[in-house]
Amino acid sequence: MKKTSRIIALLLALMMCLTLCACNKDDTPPSTSTDVNIQDIVESAAPEAEGEGEPETDPEPAEDDLAYVTGNGKLIIGYTVYEPMNYTDENGEFTGFDTELAKAVCEKLGLEPEFVIINWDTKEVALAAKDIDCIWNGMTLNADREANMACTVPYVKNAQVVVVKEGFEYTDTASLIGGVVCAEIGSAGELLIKGDDETEPDANLAQAEYAGKSVQTDCLMEVKANTADAAVLDLTLAKSMTGEGTDYADLVIVDYLAEENYGVAFRQGSNIRDEVNSIFAELLEDGTLQALADKYSLELADTEAAA
């Protein structure tokens, strides 16, 4: 306000000088020593150098991620249908290892869990855009994900396995050269088949025809229907959905390709991750994590890593 008044005052002074000049009958122009320079006015009215004049008010600090979700009163959890992690059972109940674990963690955080189905191929985009607050769905930890998202400690062990129809002659991945192999788009299985800038594919799988699917269960359907020779899937899903007593009783696991760990991903720099890590340690100590692992026939990640 003070700076604005000063500008007005200086402009009024300029106008008075110009008026006097116009009224002067003497043709001699006024002395340059009394000239008023517009640039001088502008410069004199410019903000003072840093540290001078009135102190500026600091902007409001950015809201942290924990405060953001606490303000919403809920944690929006991105998932895909993936038994035994997140799925609907025969009684119509939405359940699974990750579903139950997320609910237990949210209870300790004082938040309501809200589960939202996502496209696995664009999960990072949805997370950054705050369409979801985390990816909690048997997500394999790798260097790229840990560099670009705030990932928790590993909590469950997994592996990539090859699933074929019973009777398929399989020795190793060389048996699939020239065949059709399915994997979920954006998954660790896809990396084994296609590779990327940082990961070399399996030399044999790279010589197969790749069929990418939006969810892992679609891969099982392709193998069952004989439209694909094999699927490269998470062990956790393959164990629960193939073999006797399942919808895919004629599908079998024939190979283990890569061991890995699951983690939960939050937005890069999110302080929720550290809170969840602490809760994981509590649930490990009180036996909750082990009980859930036993219930869903899973193996926990190394105790030291998860603690």
Side-chain angles (χ1 to χ4, degrees):
M1 182 65 74
K2 291 179 180 178
K3 294 173 183 175
T4 303
S5 300
R6 187 166 55 196
I7 293 173
I8 293 172
L10 290 170
L11 290 174
L12 287 173
L14 173 61
M15 292 174 64
M16 290 177 63
C17 289
L18 294 174
T19 301
L20 289 172
C21 291
C23 295
N24 190 349
K25 293 183 180 179
D26 185 357
D27 293 334
T28 305
S31 168
T32 55
S33 64
T34 60
D35 281 351
V36 179
N37 192 315
I38 294 291
Q39 185 62 32
D40 292 339
I41 294 175
V42 174
E43 290 178 356
S44 66
E48 290 88 347
E50 185 176 351
E52 298 178 2
E54 299 178 20
E56 295 186 4
T57 304
D58 291 334
E60 289 293 320
E63 188 177 48
D64 64 52
D65 214 23
L66 183 58
Y68 170 74
V69 297
T70 300
N72 292 334
K74 61 185 178 182
L75 185 71
I76 303 176
I77 300 162
Y79 79 99
T80 62
V81 177
Y82 172 15
E83 189 175 346
M85 309 312 282
N86 308 85
Y87 67 102
T88 301
D89 65 17
E90 62 275 8
N91 299 318
E93 181 183 356
F94 182 62
T95 188
F97 179 90
D98 275 341
T99 303
E100 290 199 47
L101 179 57
K103 288 179 178 178
V105 169
C106 282
E107 184 176 356
K108 287 182 174 289
L109 289 172
L111 300 171
E112 189 70 26
E114 180 179 322
F115 295 88
V116 175
I117 292 181
I118 57 173
N119 182 330
W120 194 253
D121 194 33
T122 56
K123 57 189 176 298
E124 292 91 347
V125 176
L127 182 63
K130 293 190 174 180
D131 294 333
I132 56 176
D133 297 316
C134 64
I135 302 164
W136 202 326
N137 186 226
M139 187 197 75
T140 300
L141 295 171
N142 59 36
D144 181 65
R145 287 171 178 169
E146 295 194 60
N148 291 288
M149 297 181 286
C151 297
T152 65
V153 294
Y155 61 98
V156 164
K157 285 185 178 180
N158 186 43
Q160 291 303 305
V161 296
V162 178
V163 175
V164 299
K165 201 163 190 179
E166 197 167 11
F168 183 88
E169 294 185 7
Y170 182 92
T171 304
D172 55 28
T173 54
S175 304
L176 299 173
I177 294 175
V180 178
V181 182
C182 286
E184 182 181 46
I185 297 170
S187 70
E190 182 183 67
L191 283 178
L192 283 170
I193 301 168
K194 295 178 61 181
D196 63 9
D197 293 340
E198 298 180 358
T199 306
E200 288 293 326
D202 178 282
N204 295 323
L205 293 177
Q207 298 179 66
E209 180 183 340
Y210 172 60
K213 299 298 173 181
S214 59
V215 292
Q216 295 195 59
T217 49
D218 285 351
C219 300
L220 294 174
M221 292 174 62
E222 294 289 337
V223 177
K224 185 177 180 67
N226 293 318
T227 50
D229 297 295
V232 179
L233 306 170
D234 286 352
L235 170 64
T236 49
L237 178 135
K239 280 178 61 177
S240 65
M241 297 197 69
T242 63
E244 187 177 351
T246 71
D247 291 337
Y248 301 96
D250 55 345
L251 303 189
V252 292
I253 298 171
V254 292
D255 204 354
Y256 286 67
L257 302 181
E259 293 188 357
E260 57 198 25
N261 288 312
Y262 286 160
V264 183
F266 295 89
R267 280 178 281 278
Q268 190 171 37
S270 174
N271 56 347
I272 307 174
R273 184 265 310 275
D274 293 341
E275 293 292 324
V276 173
N277 278 342
S278 296
I279 294 172
F280 278 176
E282 294 174 19
L283 296 177
L284 181 64
E285 186 175 357
D286 68 17
T288 300
L289 265 175
Q290 188 60 60
L292 279 175
D294 293 342
K295 178 178 179 179
Y296 291 99
S297 301
L298 298 173
E299 184 179 350
L300 293 180
D302 293 338
T303 302
E304 290 184 4

